Amino acid sequence: MPVPLWENPFPLISKPLNPKEAMNILLTPLQLQTLLSYAAEMGAKLALSKTGHIRPYLKKSEAFKRYGRKNVEHWIGLGLITPRKDGGHSAAWRIDRMEIEAVSKSRQAMRYL
């Protein structure tokens, strides 16, 4: 007998879920609010960088100041962020603002949750 749509929390999934196929994560209202505020902040920074109000890249030294030298070097070592170099050996390294911000916010979220 089919289950009415309002009783099935996953209407697009036809077969029942077992614990190995799906993970349910329960969030408190405060945790959800925190995650949504992180997402809104990231969206605002993306919009500002696309409109030219802020630079889409950070210099490596600026990233060190904002996020800590040890953190930035660790994230580069893990391959989470990719430093780019524009020119020859004297050119400054730059890091994508959204890339490093995403790593930083996800780290904050993992600590918070």
Side-chain angles (χ1 to χ4, degrees):
M1 174 157 31
V3 178
L5 206 56
W6 61 85
E7 291 181 13
N8 186 356
F10 305 103
L12 299 177
I13 300 173
S14 58
K15 64 179 184 174
L17 295 174
N18 66 32
K20 293 180 182 177
E21 293 179 10
M23 181 189 320
N24 293 327
I25 299 173
L26 299 175
L27 297 175
T28 65
L30 183 60
Q31 290 171 327
L32 182 60
Q33 178 185 2
T34 303
L35 290 176
L36 289 174
S37 70
Y38 288 166
E41 187 178 336
M42 293 283 297
K45 287 184 180 182
L46 179 62
L48 288 171
S49 71
K50 287 197 180 241
T51 58
H53 287 78
I54 59 174
R55 290 178 292 133
Y57 290 95
L58 297 173
K59 290 183 180 177
K60 199 172 178 184
S61 61
E62 188 178 348
F64 287 161
K65 289 177 189 172
R66 287 186 184 197
Y67 302 103
R69 181 181 200 97
K70 187 176 179 181
N71 289 330
V72 173
E73 288 177 350
H74 181 68
W75 297 337
I76 290 171
L78 291 175
L80 299 174
I81 57 176
T82 309
R84 294 163 178 90
K85 198 169 187 179
D86 285 335
H89 86 75
S90 65
W93 287 93
R94 58 189 177 100
I95 296 172
D96 186 332
R97 180 184 298 269
M98 295 308 298
E99 194 175 73
I100 195 166
E101 189 69 28
V103 171
S104 172
K105 290 294 180 193
S106 63
R107 181 174 164 237
Q108 288 175 8
M110 291 302 290
R111 281 186 175 173
Y112 185 76
L113 299 176

